[in-house]
Amino acid sequence: MDAATPRRAGLTREKVLNAALDLADRDGVEKLSMRRLGAELGVEAMTLYHYVPNKAALLDGLVERVVTAVRPELDGPADAWPERLRDFAAAFRAELLRHPGVIVLVATRPARSAEALRIVEDTAAFLGRAGIAPVDALRIVNSVATLVIGQCLAEAATTPGHPDEPTDADLTALPDLTALPVLAAAVAGGLGTPEDHRARFDLALDALLAGLRR
């Protein structure tokens, strides 16, 4: 029996990816390494290569893990595709905000695993039932996904390589807005609050879907 076999007992690719996601959420994806992940799971780093062949595959797996956690509902009439995309966008945003450590990764690393691409394929096929050509269907799916990712980047992502989080004082400190009355009124009305983030997301998504429907 391989000496590493007892230590690998119970490990699966899914467990490895879940542990990597926890590490990325806690410490940032830039600090994720095979050695640190192995220590988190109680195994040598080399053991992980039985489940992910290299660091690139691990990062692709994290993108897959987040994307496949949100599978759009693709039932109902074909002309309901804007409503299905709205539901998907809301769920995708919620999933990304649950895992802020990997938002930058999702933004910069295209989904390329078979599981992640299957979701793209099924969604584009649903749009195809409404008479939308494949290239246009993929543009629509990508446009909605890009809107969600961009919103989450602005809302919750941190700058890679700069792990120090701003303090509450940093977040609330603003210059004197006396000479900027419109901005001052917006701040007083709740600009930058969680409710404001959601309102901005809904506004942009409604506008995008209305334009795409036309």
Side-chain angles (χ1 to χ4, degrees):
M1 179 182 294
D2 188 315
T5 300
R7 303 189 70 186
R8 293 205 307 268
L11 269 189
T12 63
R13 180 175 180 271
E14 182 179 9
K15 288 182 179 179
V16 169
L17 292 180
N18 286 341
L21 188 59
D22 289 342
L23 267 178
D25 283 342
R26 188 174 73 224
D27 301 327
V29 72
E30 68 277 3
K31 290 189 175 181
L32 178 62
S33 69
M34 301 299 270
R35 178 174 295 179
R36 291 191 68 190
L37 181 56
E40 188 81 1
L41 290 165
V43 299
E44 297 293 332
M46 291 300 297
T47 301
L48 301 178
Y49 293 104
H50 291 271
Y51 306 97
V52 285
N54 49 49
K55 177 71 175 293
L58 177 64
L59 297 180
D60 287 341
L62 286 180
V63 175
E64 172 194 308
R65 168 68 177 73
V66 173
V67 171
T68 58
V70 185
R71 294 182 180 274
E73 295 292 334
L74 300 176
D75 54 358
D79 62 0
W81 62 265
E83 289 74 22
R84 299 288 78 77
L85 284 182
R86 162 171 275 288
D87 294 342
F88 164 72
F92 189 28
R93 172 177 176 265
E95 182 68 14
L96 286 178
L97 293 180
R98 275 193 289 270
H99 302 291
V102 297
I103 295 175
V104 171
L105 183 64
V106 175
T108 57
R109 198 173 189 91
R112 64 186 76 205
S113 74
E115 285 294 318
L117 291 177
R118 171 51 58 185
I119 291 179
V120 177
E121 169 73 17
D122 292 345
T123 306
F126 180 72
L127 270 61
R129 287 171 46 198
I132 300 172
V135 66
D136 291 327
L138 285 173
R139 286 170 179 164
I140 289 172
V141 173
N142 285 332
S143 294
V144 172
T146 300
L147 171 67
V148 176
I149 294 168
Q151 169 71 23
C152 291
L153 279 169
E155 187 172 347
T158 58
T159 304
H162 297 274
D164 293 335
E165 294 292 337
T167 65
D168 290 341
D170 294 329
L171 294 173
T172 57
L174 285 172
D176 182 6
L177 300 180
T178 303
L180 306 170
V182 175
L183 183 55
V187 171
L191 184 70
T193 63
E195 294 76 17
D196 174 54
H197 287 306
R198 180 56 191 261
R200 280 189 283 153
F201 173 70
D202 288 340
L203 177 66
L205 182 60
D206 286 344
L208 176 62
L209 290 176
L212 291 173
R213 185 191 286 274
R214 286 196 296 270

